[in-house]
Amino acid sequence: DRARNVSERLSSTTTLTVNIADSDDLDPSFIYRGCVLLDGACINPEYTASVPAGSLRQLSGGLCGRKLSFGYKGFDDNGKPISFKTTDADLTEDDPKPDYIYELTTPSFEVVAREPKTNAASAPLSLTVILKDVNDNPPKLSMVPPVSITAGDGIRKVANVTATDNDEGPNAVITYSIYHVSNNGMQKFIIDEKTGEIETRGRLWLENNIVLLCKPRCRRNKLTVTVIHAEDPESDPVVYSIISGNDLRQFAVGQESGIIAVIRKLDRESLTRYQLIVKAEDNGGLLAPATAQSFVGIVHATDADEGINAEITYSIPSDIPFGINGSSGEIRTSKPLDYEKQNEYRFVVTAKDGAPDARLGTASVTVLVRDLPDEVPQFSDSRIDVRIPENEPDVSVATVQAFDPDTLPEITYVIRKGATDLFKVNPKTGEIKTTKGLDFEKQKVHELIVGTIENDGNSAGDTIKVVVDVEDRNDVRPLFVSVPSL
C-alpha cells in the first residue's frame, strides 16, 4: 500500500498463470528415414516403393499365435474384469467416501488402498495371477542318424522320429508328416501321424540315395488368408504355387484349390506385412502371377501444433491406380498394374491439418513397377517368301523374329506345321535351315508355320508363315521316250 510511513507499508503477492492457446501456425511435415531437418521439417522428402505387376487383393483374417502385450486386462473365472472394492470401518453410510488410490507393490505383488489426504493405508491384499498357455512354441525334432535298408519291396520300418513341444495341454499335441523326399520318392514312404514311425510303401532300388524331411506340427488350426482363382481360356487345369515372399514357409497354397493359409506362427512384432507372389500355371507352362497383398508403402507426417490443429489427413490424386488411408498414410494399389503400359508412377501426397483454415505439407512418391513374365512373344510379320535351290542340304532359308515385351524375354522358336524332316529351326535364333536337299521334281513349294513354345495361340501375330519356292536345277538327264525300229 502507500502508507505515509515507509516502514509501515504492507504488501502481498499472488501467482498469475498464463496458458498459451495453440494457433495453427505450423505446417504438417513429412518424416522419413535419413531426412535432413530444417526448422523441424524434412527438406524435399521423397518416398520410393517397388511393387509387382499383376492383380492385387487385400489380405483378410487375423493373426495366429497372438502375443500378450502390455495393457491387457485381468479376468476372473467368470470372464469379468477384476476390480477392487474398499470399505472403511471409520466411515458410516452418511459419511462422504474418499477416492482411494490403489498401489501395486513389488516384488510381493500386493495391492494397497490409500487415502490421498491422510495417507492412511489398508492392509495389503495378495494377488495370484495364473497365466494361460498359448501355442507360441514350435515343435522341435530330435536328430535321426542315417538309416540303411536293403533294396526291394514290402513294408519295412525305416525309423522313428520324435519331437518335443514346450507348450502344455492341447497346444503340445504333435502330429507328424513327411515334408519332402528326394528323387521323387514321396510315394515310397508313409509316416504315422501320432507316433512318427516311418515305413516303406514301394520298391526301393539299390541306386537310390533318398533324403526324407519330416515336419512335426502342433495342433493349430490353419488360418485361411484368402482364396485366389485363375481361369485358363483353354479350360486346362491350373496349378497354384507361391514363388516369392514365403522365405520362412509361413504360408501354404492349395495346388488345386488356390486357398492360401497360415501354417506357422506369425509375429507382428517381427514383421507386420507380408507380400506373396502366387503363380497360376497350366499344363503348357503358361503362367499368370498375382499377389495376395496390395501394400505399397507408408508416408508419415508430423505437426508441432496441438489438438485439432495437429490432426493430419493424407490425400493423393484420384487419377492414379493407388489409394491412401487418410489417417495412417498407408498406400495401396486400387487396380492391377501393367509394367508394359507404365513401369513408373510419380505423384504427390498432401498432408492437411484439421484447422478451419488448414495448412498443407507435401511429399513426392515414386512407385517402381516390377516386371513379371506375363506377356507372350508376337511376330510383327505374317508371311515370308523365299527361293532356294534344290539338292543343297543345310541351306539357310530365312530367319524369323518374334518380340517379347517382358524385361527378360523368353522366346523359343518351333515349327508347328510343315515338313520337319526337311526343315529345322534354331530354337534361340529363329534361323530356318534345310536338313537335306530339296527335290524340285517332287515338290515345288513348301509351307512352314513357325511359332513359339511360350505362345500357343492361333491369332494374328502368334505365328508366321514361311513359303519356300524350290528353284529347279539341271540335275535330270534326258530320257528317250521312244526308239524307232530299223
Side-chain angles (χ1 to χ4, degrees), residues 15 47 74 193 205 244 353 356 370 387 416 442:
T15 302
Y47 293 82
E193 290 188 350
W205 300 96
S244 178
D353 63 22
R370 295 198 304 268
R387 293 177 64 87
R416 286 200 190 173
K442 289 184 178 180

Side-chain angles (χ1 to χ4, degrees), residues 3-163:
R4 186 182 299 274
N5 189 349
V6 177
S7 61
E8 295 178 352
R9 292 179 181 179
L10 301 175
S11 65
S12 62
T13 60
T14 187
T15 302
L16 175 64
T17 302
V18 179
N19 295 321
I20 301 175
D22 180 44
S23 62
D24 188 28
D25 58 343
L26 296 174
D27 297 331
S29 174
F30 282 91
I31 302 297
Y32 71 103
R33 182 178 300 176
C35 69
V36 179
L37 291 177
L38 179 63
D39 296 332
C42 279
I43 301 176
N44 296 328
E46 292 187 0
Y47 293 82
T48 301
S50 179
V51 297
S55 302
L56 296 160
R57 304 184 182 90
Q58 183 177 353
L59 286 171
S60 61
L63 297 178
C64 179
R66 189 185 300 274
K67 285 189 173 182
L68 183 68
S69 60
F70 294 105
Y72 264 56
K73 292 182 178 180
F75 296 92
D76 58 18
D77 294 338
N78 298 322
K80 297 181 178 180
I82 297 175
S83 60
F84 298 97
K85 182 179 181 181
T86 305
T87 59
D88 193 333
D90 295 331
L91 301 178
T92 64
E93 295 182 356
D94 298 331
D95 292 333
K97 302 297 189 297
D99 293 328
Y100 295 101
I101 299 175
Y102 296 93
E103 300 174 355
L104 181 63
T105 63
T106 57
S108 57
F109 208 56
E110 296 176 335
V111 177
V112 175
R114 189 181 302 277
E115 293 183 2
K117 295 182 179 180
T118 63
N119 207 32
S122 67
L125 175 66
S126 298
L127 292 179
T128 301
V129 178
I130 301 175
L131 298 179
K132 294 183 177 180
D133 181 45
V134 296
N135 197 11
D136 57 349
N137 291 290
K140 295 183 179 180
L141 275 171
S142 58
M143 294 298 296
V144 178
V147 178
S148 298
I149 58 176
T150 57
D153 294 326
I155 299 176
R156 288 166 292 168
K157 180 178 178 180
V158 177
N160 192 282
V161 295
T162 57

